[in-house]
Amino acid sequence: MSEPSKLVFEESQAGRCGVSLPGCDVPERPLSELLPPDALRSADAPLPEVSELQVVRHFTRLSQKNMGVDTAFYPLGSCTMKFNPKVNEAASGQPGLLRVHPYQPTETVQGILELLWRLERFMAEIAGMDAVSLQPAAGAHGELAGLMVIRAYFDDKGERRERILVPDSAHGTNPASCTLCGLNTVQIKSDAQGGVDIEHLKANLDRTVAALMITNPSTLGLFERNICEIVRLVHEQGALVYLDGANLNAIMGITRPGDFGVDVLHFNPHKTFATPHGGGGPGAGPIGVKAPLAPFLPVPRIVQRGHAFALDCDQPKSIGKMRSFYGNIGVLVRAYCYLRSLGPDGLKEASQHAVLNARYLLSRLRPHFDLPYDSPCMHEFVLSASRQKQKGVRALDIAKCLIDLGFHPPTIYFPLIVPEALMIEPTETESKETLDAFADALIQIAREAEESPDKVTTAPHVTPVSRLDEVKAARELKLRWKTV
Ligand SMILES: *Cc1c(COP(=O)(O)O)cnc(C)c1O
C-alpha cells in the first residue's frame, strides 16, 4: 500500500519560509492604520510554514495520486472521456483568445465573436439543426434551457402542456431538469431489446405532452431502431422531440438528429468535441433547435450585420439569459479547434473508432459477463455482474479491483434498469493493445470472482485508503488521513 501523504499543515515547521521578499523601500505603517478594526485578525492566520521544495513535492505527489485520461485508460460509460488533443490547448491558449474580456466593446472582440458564430453553424450542421445557442454551462444546464425553450414555445401558442415523457434508461439529469422547469416527468418503459416500449409510449401520448426527451444512442449504448416511428407518434400529437445529445460522439458525420426528426437537443462539447472535463468542470451545454423554436433561444444571440458581428438582445420571445455573459468560452474555443483540425471526415472517423473500440471490447468480454440487452452496441455497452454476484462479488467490487490493475473503473449501477451494471465506454483513440489489456484485466477479475472472491471484495489494495463509506465519504469529508 502506498504511503498516505501528510497534509501540508503537518509538514509545517515554525519559522520555515518558502519565499524571500525584497526589503521594503517605503516607510512601513501598521495595518491598524490602514484597515478598520473589524477587518483585522486577532491572531495570525494558521498558515503552514514550509519551504518551496516542500510545497512543490506536496502538490506534485498529490497530483500523482490522481487518475485521468492522460495517465490511464478511462472507460467511464456515459461520460465519454475523450482524448483532448494538446494542439487544442496550444491554439486556445493564444493571448488574443485568452485575454479578451466580456465587458470589452464588441468592435474590439470581432475575432472571438466570429469564432463563436462559426462554431454555432458547425454545430447546427453536425446535428441537422437550424439555430444554436452556446450559452448554457453544461449538458444538464442545456437540458434546462432546452425545456424552457419548449415551454415558451407552447406558452406562445397558448397551449398548456406540462408532461415530458422520459424513457426509464435516461440519465438522472433528464427528470431533474423537467422538475426544475416546473414540468412533470412521465417514465416510459424500455422493451426487451432496450428500446422505447412503443405500446407504453402510445398509452401515454396525448395533447398534454410537451415533449419526449430521448437519448439516442441510448445510455445502454444502443441506437433506437424505431426512432422514426417514435418521432412520428410524438409529432402526431403536436408534441416535440428533445434529444439528450450526450452520446453524439457515436454518430458524428454518420447521421444527424435533425434528420431523424429531433426538434431540440443539447450538445456536451466536453464529451463530443474533445474539450477537457472531469473534476467538476467547466464543460458547456450548447443547445440546437429547429427554426420554429429559434425565437425562444437565450439572449444575447450572436448575429452578423454586414461584415461585423454583434450581440443582439432584442429578441422579444427569448427565454432570457441562462448565465452571465456568453458561455464557457474557453471550452468552446477548444471545441472550435477540434472541429477545425478534424474536419468532416475526421469527425466521422472519430465516431467510427468510438464504435469499433466498444464493439471489439464487447466481443472479448461477452463470454465472461451477462449482457442483458444483446444488440450490436454503439460507442458504449452495459454488462451485468449478476453472474459474479452469485459468488458474492458485486459490480462495485469489480470496479474497485480494476484500480489495483491500473485502470479507471467504468460507470457502475447506471443505467438503473440493468442490475449490477458495468457501463463501459472506451475512448476512441485507444490502441488495440490497451483495449486487450483492459479486457484481460476484467477477464482475470471474472476468474478471481469464481476462484477467490475475497481477493476481489477487499480491493483496492494499492491505494492510500481502500474501502470508504461511499455516501458518508461524499457527505462528511474527512481530510485528515490518520482518522480515516
Ligand atoms: C453527461 C450526461 C448528461 C449531463 O451532462 P453534463 O454535461 O454532465 O451536465 C446528460 N445525459 C447523459 C446521457 C449524459 O451522459
Side-chain angles (χ1 to χ4, degrees), residues 133-169:
S133 164
L134 302 171
Q135 205 177 100
H141 199 216
E143 290 172 25
L144 179 62
L147 289 167
M148 287 170 73
V149 164
I150 290 172
R151 237 199 127 120
Y153 169 79
F154 284 117
D155 281 351
D156 187 58
K157 287 181 23 142
E159 288 183 44
R160 197 178 163 81
R161 294 177 178 248
E162 293 187 338
R163 291 163 75 227
I164 304 284
L165 308 185
V166 182
D168 57 9
S169 57

Side-chain angles (χ1 to χ4, degrees), residues 78-79 138-140 143 171 173-174 215 219 244 246 266 268 270-271 284:
S78 210
C79 296
E143 290 172 25
H171 196 265
T173 51
N174 291 188
T215 310
T219 63
D244 177 331
H266 76 258
N268 305 61
H270 44 292
K271 297 178 182 174

Side-chain angles (χ1 to χ4, degrees), residues 5-58:
S5 300
K6 281 185 179 173
L7 298 181
V8 72
F9 293 95
E10 290 167 327
E11 302 225 14
S12 185
Q13 296 261 352
R16 187 165 288 172
C17 184
V19 288
S20 48
L21 299 172
C24 189
D25 58 359
V26 292
E28 278 188 41
R29 286 170 64 192
L31 268 182
S32 54
E33 282 180 19
L34 302 167
L35 292 173
D38 61 346
L40 291 172
R41 289 182 186 281
S42 51
D44 285 345
L47 297 175
E49 297 180 74
V50 284
S51 69
E52 178 174 337
L53 192 53
Q54 279 177 301
V55 173
V56 171
R57 287 192 181 150
H58 177 77

Side-chain angles (χ1 to χ4, degrees), residues 100-110 112-113 309 311 326:
V100 287
H101 194 280
Y103 281 140
Q104 272 177 249
T106 49
E107 58 275 19
T108 67
V109 289
Q110 286 292 304
I112 189 78
L113 288 180
F309 294 90
L311 292 165
Y326 319 115

